[in-house]
Amino acid sequence: MPTCSVERETDMSARITKDPEARREEILATAFELFTDVGFENTSVQMITETVGVSKGLFYHYFESKTDLLDQAVCWKADQFFETLPQHASEMEGVGIDKARTLIDRIVGWKFGEFRKMTMAFMEVMYREENHPLRMRLQEEYLARIMPLFAEILVEAAEEGSIDVPDPEMASELVWSLWSGAGSVLARLLIDLPNNPGKVDELLRRTRAWEWGVERLLGMQTGTLKLYDWDQIEAAFREIANALAE
């Protein structure tokens, strides 16, 4: 399974007493907390290095820039999350379509639960025009992680007769490509919520459209997939809108 953790050669000096990876993770953990608490823009490299107790020179051994640090911090947290997911559909409980619901619920819960503030910070930076190539790379790696497991789930669902697809592996790719495209639109709407709190309804409409599109791809009747707890989703969107507007 690919990982977006970045391996870097580090010029170790006599004053570095910690294991290089332990030091890198200490910086990542500190940056994650600062980005979450005070925001990406309000967090300087100096704040991070002073909090950790390292020099800026050491910081730049590990990270090319603050944006590179954000990239690695998100990857680091994503690695931790993906380690909690099953590696194969056979490790999950329920029938195929139940497993699909469980997987989506875990992802949505992570992004808009404990990881919500970091999700917003990441989107605000990554959806700038200059960061388009980096965002695409991260998106590709994310999809490479999730699609094989989802394909296994779809194989089970097809064998059970709950979906109708001739090629579950290709269907998995199409579903997540649709998610990726819809996610870009949803991200821009989320970023714009401070100026347009009323766009919560548009977010809900587009999320429902994504679910409808997945049902069509999987050969299911409208309303049978039921991936989301819509009350929970609406509450999460409105909480984000209220928090960002403060």
Side-chain angles (χ1 to χ4, degrees):
M1 176 179 294
T3 173
C4 58
S5 295
V6 179
E7 299 292 338
R8 296 182 180 277
E9 294 184 4
T10 306
D11 180 18
M12 301 302 296
S13 63
R15 62 195 178 96
I16 300 175
T17 58
K18 288 193 176 183
D19 175 79
E21 183 59 22
R23 178 65 83 186
R24 172 179 171 271
E25 290 197 0
E26 184 179 15
I27 296 172
L28 288 170
T30 299
F32 183 88
E33 290 183 6
L34 288 170
F35 291 162
T36 299
D37 291 341
V38 303
F40 177 80
E41 296 295 346
N42 294 326
T43 301
S44 65
V45 170
Q46 184 171 345
M47 287 173 62
I48 296 168
T49 55
E50 288 181 352
T51 302
V52 179
V54 298
S55 68
K56 286 187 178 180
L58 181 59
F59 175 92
Y60 287 111
H61 279 305
Y62 294 98
F63 311 102
E64 295 176 1
S65 64
K66 193 173 73 167
T67 298
D68 179 43
L69 171 61
L70 176 64
D71 171 9
Q72 292 195 49
V74 170
C75 287
W76 176 62
K77 277 295 183 181
D79 286 339
Q80 294 176 351
F81 171 69
F82 277 99
E83 286 173 1
T84 70
L85 293 180
Q87 300 301 301
H88 299 286
S90 59
E91 301 170 20
M92 303 175 69
E93 296 181 357
V95 298
I97 204 64
D98 289 334
K99 294 178 180 181
R101 294 187 184 108
T102 297
L103 182 62
I104 299 298
D105 185 65
R106 291 277 299 277
I107 294 171
V108 172
W110 174 66
K111 283 190 173 183
F112 293 101
E114 62 173 293
F115 200 59
R116 191 195 72 198
K117 289 184 178 179
M118 193 62 171
T119 296
M120 296 305 301
F122 179 74
M123 286 193 302
E124 289 169 2
V125 174
M126 287 297 112
Y127 279 86
R128 295 173 183 166
E129 187 62 32
E130 64 269 23
N131 288 327
H132 179 77
L134 175 58
R135 177 164 52 86
M136 290 297 99
R137 182 181 67 79
L138 291 174
Q139 189 175 85
E140 288 172 0
E141 293 189 359
Y142 174 86
L143 294 179
R145 292 163 182 252
I146 204 68
M147 284 193 298
L149 174 59
F150 198 68
E152 290 185 11
I153 291 172
L154 294 188
V155 167
E156 288 191 10
E159 291 174 348
E160 296 159 358
S162 56
I163 65 172
D164 180 17
V165 294
D167 186 336
E169 184 174 333
M170 184 57 65
S172 174
E173 182 176 327
L174 290 171
V175 166
W176 290 100
S177 294
L178 183 61
W179 173 295
S180 177
S184 295
V185 176
L186 292 175
R188 296 185 189 281
L189 287 169
L190 281 166
I191 293 168
D192 196 40
L193 276 181
N195 301 318
N196 296 282
K199 287 194 174 181
V200 166
D201 292 333
E202 178 69 7
L203 278 164
L204 289 168
R205 187 171 74 89
R206 289 183 177 275
T207 306
R208 289 181 187 275
W210 179 81
E211 186 177 74
W212 173 84
V214 173
E215 288 174 335
R216 300 279 70 74
L217 278 172
L218 300 183
M220 303 175 70
Q221 293 294 318
T222 301
T224 58
L225 188 55
K226 298 179 181 177
L227 284 175
Y228 301 115
D229 178 331
W230 289 105
D231 290 338
Q232 184 179 28
I233 290 292
E234 181 174 2
F237 285 161
R238 295 199 183 281
E239 184 180 349
I240 290 170
N242 293 335
L244 292 174
E246 292 175 357

